[in-house]
Amino acid sequence: MPSAENLCSRCGEPAVARLTEPERRLCAAHFIEDVEARVLAALRRERMVFPGDRVVVGLSGGKDSTALLLVLHRLLPEFGADLVAVTIDEGIAGYREETLRAAKSLTEELGVEHAIVTFADLFGDDLDGLLVGREAQGCAVCGVLRRRALAEGVKRVGATKLATGHNLDDEAQSVLMNVLRGDLPRLVSDTSTGQPGHFVPRIKPLAVLSEKEIVTYLLLRGYFRDLPECPYAGTALRSEVRTMLAELEHRHPGTMTRLMRFRDGARRSAGSAASTGVLGTCRICGELTSGEVCRVCGLLGRDG
Ligand code: SF4
């Protein structure tokens, strides 16, 4: 028989997870309820969704975006908002095929409209082809192209908001990476507002949950899948920061939350100076850019 410390604080059933702030132990049903209630509170507090919104989830098929689709599928009807999904197929052999299958089967099961945008269609080649000779820059190149492909997906499905599966760990890693790169403008920039005619506002409803909580949520709802890792992932600064931050969080609990507070404070201090500044349009593709040629055209060598 489980000891009193291992019982759910709400119903007395055996607990499966222990959470802090406030300290509580929860059984499977109450853990799921707790996670969804925290996301619902964040959606309301940060006014992320309004009636009539058409929210598109950037669905990679991995754990975070799978959890995001599952949670929003339950919560969005309450806001009178629609849910759709878009998956970017970068063309990464041995990795993307399986996650794409997972994304298709989940959207079919939930009855969610699903669009797929491929790098090959948009940029003339798969990521594998575009990276030949510069494999070490995998994530840097992919990140720029993915953002453009997601913007294209948003247009295709007529969405008014783009929801991404970034969790607390991802957000804290980004803060630390921006500090390590000395990139203050990026640290304080806010993408939640969008740019009329170019980008819709971005929302990150799972930023209140840790990666561990997301994995637990998926396991308890029966949706956890062990999927392959992207072969380019290890080349990024992010993977070193992830390891370092996980260790710091373990030794000094609350480190990630404090990093988020630091970023929010930096954003408030920067105030209007943090806004994107004056943007022009790329002379090649017409998309917004701060220079003469956007990063996508630069990376694809269209400016030469
Ligand atoms: Fe792209 Fe890097 Fe993500 Fe792989 S890990 S899909 S290369 S951003």
Side-chain angles (χ1 to χ4, degrees):
M1 198 174 146
S3 66
E5 304 88 69
N6 284 327
L7 298 178
C8 175
S9 319
R10 298 205 192 144
C11 68
E13 289 293 313
V16 296
R18 182 184 158 203
L19 302 179
T20 54
E21 297 187 34
E23 173 79 29
R24 59 211 188 277
R25 287 178 165 73
L26 297 170
C27 66
H30 280 120
F31 179 87
I32 291 171
E33 195 180 282
D34 186 280
V35 160
E36 292 172 357
R38 282 154 64 202
V39 176
L40 179 62
L43 288 169
R44 286 185 178 142
R45 186 177 58 242
E46 293 172 35
R47 300 170 59 81
M48 292 189 211
V49 181
F50 295 98
D53 260 338
R54 189 164 160 81
V55 179
V56 64
V57 167
L59 180 66
S60 70
K63 59 183 173 11
D64 298 318
S65 58
T66 296
L68 178 62
L69 195 75
L70 289 166
V71 173
L72 291 186
H73 186 251
R74 283 194 170 168
L75 299 182
L76 283 194
E78 184 158 330
F79 291 85
D82 277 348
L83 179 64
V84 283
V86 65
T87 301
I88 308 305
D89 180 0
E90 306 89 348
I92 303 173
Y95 163 68
R96 188 43 86 200
E97 303 88 339
E98 210 175 317
T99 49
L100 200 53
R101 267 197 298 278
K104 277 185 191 161
S105 99
L106 182 66
T107 50
E108 275 166 25
E109 182 194 327
L110 299 178
V112 171
E113 181 187 327
H114 184 209
I116 297 169
V117 177
T118 70
F119 273 20
D121 275 353
L122 222 49
F123 308 122
D125 203 350
D126 287 343
L127 184 66
D128 288 338
L130 293 167
L131 284 180
V132 171
R134 50 175 171 172
E135 289 79 2
Q137 298 168 34
C139 287
V141 174
C142 180
V144 172
L145 301 182
R146 275 178 64 83
R147 270 193 291 282
R148 176 67 57 86
L150 265 176
E152 176 62 26
V154 167
K155 277 187 212 154
R156 285 189 195 171
V157 300
T160 57
K161 298 268 163 69
L162 169 62
T164 58
H166 294 88
N167 59 41
L168 176 62
D169 299 49
D170 299 325
E171 292 293 277
Q173 286 157 19
S174 296
V175 172
L176 194 50
M177 283 165 68
N178 286 327
V179 170
L180 294 173
R181 286 176 174 143
D183 194 341
L184 184 61
R186 202 148 183 192
L187 176 73
V188 297
S189 76
D190 185 359
T191 55
S192 64
T193 49
Q195 280 279 346
H198 290 274
F199 316 120
V200 297
R202 272 182 177 236
I203 58 172
K204 297 176 181 175
L206 299 192
V208 290
L209 304 176
S210 69
E211 188 175 324
K212 200 168 146 196
E213 288 170 331
I214 288 174
V215 169
T216 308
Y217 177 81
L218 288 174
L219 283 167
L220 295 176
R221 285 203 56 190
Y223 284 94
F224 182 80
R225 292 192 195 206
D226 206 3
L227 291 164
E229 233 202 282
C230 175
Y232 302 110
T235 60
L237 170 65
R238 184 174 288 274
S239 71
E240 287 177 48
V241 168
R242 178 184 294 126
T243 309
M244 182 164 70
L245 207 46
E247 197 164 314
L248 283 171
E249 179 68 35
H250 180 69
R251 294 211 316 259
H252 309 282
T255 296
M256 292 198 281
T257 308
R258 287 192 291 276
L259 270 172
M260 299 312 297
R261 268 191 231 133
F262 164 73
R263 186 212 50 193
D264 293 344
R267 274 187 185 167
R268 278 195 299 277
S269 303
S272 55
S275 62
T276 335
V278 182
L279 292 177
T281 48
C282 170
R283 72 171 158 78
I284 298 166
C285 71
E287 289 294 330
L288 279 189
T289 177
S290 53
E292 201 188 325
V293 173
C294 72
R295 290 178 75 194
V296 170
C297 289
L299 279 172
L300 296 176
R302 291 170 174 166
D303 55 341

